[in-house]
Amino acid sequence: MTIERSLVLVKPDGFARGLTGEVIRRIEAKGYTLAALGVFTPTVEQLQAHYAEHEGKPFFEPLVEFMSSGPVAGIVIEGDSCIRAFRVMAGATDPTEAAPGSIRGDLGREWNHNVTKNVVHGSDSVEAAQREIAIWFPDLA
Ligand code: IDP
Ligand code: MG
């Protein structure tokens, strides 16, 4: 058994649409626990750090702009292999391609062939989770 923590964000589209509770419901129903929970209005600097791996890509600036457009919910989830499990629960990056049953597949909408607004973020590795948790919840790191 590998108890992990992962950083989940309900992005501004999901938060504005009132989907935070639905995302948390799915996390808890799956058997993961919440280690931290908060509502943030992220700064551009915080988002540039969070998405540092994408710096220089064509979608980087629109992504940071979108993510700073409104409040987000930040959630640290905990449980056996929760990093991979939440990625599967979130579904493919593009909501149009995401499988039904996944968060993005069930709840995501494509906007002008733009995959930026895809409801949630989830850490993709142990290293990323540690790095991201330190950005959003420094007291936990
Ligand atoms: P992930 O969130 O599924 O891990 P990443 O490739 O890490 O996807 O991309 C980070 C975020 O950047 C995505 O969730 C999405 O919001 C946005 N994004 C990724 N690829 C594109 C793109 O091609 N166009 C616009 N936005 C994108
Ligand atoms: Mg990613």
Side-chain angles (χ1 to χ4, degrees), residues 99-123:
S102 68
I103 292 168
R104 289 161 170 169
D106 287 350
L107 309 174
R109 302 192 291 218
E110 188 173 346
W111 299 64
N112 302 321
H113 303 286
N114 178 332
V115 306
T116 306
K117 296 179 178 177
N118 58 4
V119 189
V120 287
H121 164 83
S123 307

Side-chain angles (χ1 to χ4, degrees), residues 11 51 53-54 57-60 62-63 66-67 87 90-94 104 113-118 120-124:
K11 296 183 177 186
Y51 280 125
E53 67 178 297
H54 296 304
K57 294 181 185 169
F59 62 83
F60 181 71
L63 174 63
F66 160 62
M67 290 294 295
R87 299 279 298 178
T93 304
D94 182 345
R104 289 161 170 169
H113 303 286
N114 178 332
V115 306
T116 306
K117 296 179 178 177
N118 58 4
V120 287
H121 164 83
S123 307
D124 66 5

Side-chain angles (χ1 to χ4, degrees), residues 49-90:
H50 175 82
Y51 280 125
E53 67 178 297
H54 296 304
E55 204 177 336
K57 294 181 185 169
F59 62 83
F60 181 71
E61 286 188 11
L63 174 63
V64 169
E65 190 181 326
F66 160 62
M67 290 294 295
S68 59
S69 68
V72 304
I75 310 158
V76 178
I77 69 171
E78 189 171 272
D80 185 14
S81 304
C82 70
I83 294 172
R84 179 68 193 144
F86 185 79
R87 299 279 298 178
V88 174
M89 290 169 67

